[in-house]
Amino acid sequence: MAIDNVYDAIDKQYPKGDGITSGIMKVLDAGKALGKVSPPIYGFFAFLNSMSAKARQERAEAFVSQLVEDMVKVQDAMEKMRTDISEVQSATRLSLEYDTEEFDDKKRGRYLTVITSSITSETRINGLVSFIQDVEKLGERDLIGLKILNQVMNKNGDWNEQASPSYANPPKLHPNTFIQRAQELSLQMAMALTGKDGAGNTFSREEGLQICLRLQGFGLAEMISVSSREVPISNYAARLTTRGMMLLKLLGEDVPNWKQYFGPDGVL
């Protein structure tokens, strides 16, 4: 017979209502009482309490309660929202699943922000579930890198008016726009990721480079060819993709030059 909820199935194996996690905690309690399990080790395994069916149920209820509260604030936008409601529902379902598995308050906040932003967005969001998946997989340092790329490589004034006619001269950016900011990007990334002031020119660029390469793997950024690098002190360049811009927008960040990339129905 198929098992719909693995935690319920585990609990059924323990007639007294003790799931496997509570059984493990009892062993640890006994070990602690006998002095065989030190407080640091006991504290480490405290996360097992979140694996119980009761803890997951309470987590789910708190998630839905907060989402309802947030949606009340944007309910007027629901009547004219451009994103398909089924996409928002699917994204909400997956967010709830992730939240009850991971118990990560920071990510919960991001899931909720993405959901409500998709409701108020004047741009149609396609593939909203995939952005929830990105939020689940990206770490804190990845998001720092994404924000630095937006700050350094997507500045107001980057786009200039093109000569007429527009069909023969579509708006575009020369790669030098990004290449000439390689030093600035490398410095700002290093400062944000390491907390160092970046004085001199000998600081390692490896931390920021690795973040940009990781973001490229998610389709959120693109590495820009500069030249062969001297490891670890040569600069590098990268830019946000439209996907990276969309994720930042869904997370509530200001994204310059938005109308150069997006229209009401999505990417131009």
Side-chain angles (χ1 to χ4, degrees), residues 14-241:
Y14 294 80
K16 295 181 180 180
D18 292 333
I20 189 170
T21 54
S22 60
I24 293 172
M25 291 307 297
K26 284 184 177 180
V27 172
L28 291 171
D29 286 339
K32 182 180 179 182
L34 294 172
K36 295 182 178 181
V37 176
S38 67
I41 293 177
Y42 184 86
F44 173 80
F45 283 100
F47 75 89
L48 290 172
N49 289 317
S50 68
M51 295 176 64
S52 70
K54 180 181 178 182
R56 285 161 54 87
Q57 177 69 25
E58 291 174 349
R59 183 81 182 181
E61 291 173 358
F63 181 97
V64 173
S65 177
Q66 184 61 57
L67 179 57
V68 169
E69 183 177 325
D70 291 347
M71 290 183 73
V72 167
K73 300 174 184 177
V74 300
Q75 60 184 336
D76 291 341
M78 296 187 72
E79 295 182 2
K80 55 183 179 180
M81 60 186 289
R82 300 193 65 86
T83 303
D84 193 298
I85 188 64
S86 63
E87 290 235 24
V88 181
Q89 291 170 329
S90 295
T92 301
R93 186 181 301 111
L94 184 60
S95 298
L96 181 58
E97 180 181 327
Y98 284 153
D99 188 57
T100 55
E101 287 286 347
E102 299 178 341
F103 281 64
D104 188 320
D105 291 341
K106 287 185 178 180
K107 286 189 177 181
R108 169 193 276 183
R110 292 178 191 134
Y111 297 143
L112 294 171
T113 299
V114 168
I115 292 168
T116 53
S117 293
S118 70
I119 293 173
T120 60
S121 175
E122 296 180 359
T123 299
R124 177 184 174 89
I125 315 298
N126 298 304
L128 183 60
V129 166
S130 66
F131 288 102
I132 294 296
Q133 292 170 330
D134 287 345
V135 170
E136 192 274 332
K137 290 180 172 60
L138 293 174
E140 298 298 319
R141 295 168 71 77
D142 298 321
L143 292 172
I144 289 173
L146 202 62
K147 292 175 183 178
I148 294 296
L149 281 174
N150 185 42
Q151 171 189 318
V152 176
M153 296 302 211
N154 184 35
K155 296 182 178 181
N156 287 314
D158 280 350
W159 292 79
N160 298 315
E161 291 291 331
Q162 300 293 313
S164 298
S166 58
Y167 65 83
N169 296 287
K172 54 185 177 292
L173 283 180
H174 194 279
N176 282 343
T177 302
F178 308 112
I179 294 172
Q180 291 170 357
R181 295 176 187 169
Q183 168 69 17
E184 182 183 359
L185 176 65
S186 301
L187 175 61
Q188 293 300 321
M189 279 284 196
M191 291 173 62
L193 294 169
T194 67
K196 299 177 181 178
D197 61 10
N201 196 41
T202 59
F203 63 90
S204 173
R205 275 73 163 174
E206 294 299 288
E207 288 281 349
L209 173 64
Q210 292 165 25
I211 293 296
C212 288
L213 287 169
R214 179 169 160 80
L215 292 173
Q216 180 172 253
F218 283 95
L220 300 169
E222 177 195 15
M223 298 299 300
I224 305 295
S225 178
V226 179
S227 63
S228 298
R229 298 183 64 251
E230 289 183 309
V231 179
I233 60 171
S234 290
N235 297 320
Y236 55 89
R239 71 170 185 93
L240 288 174
T241 62

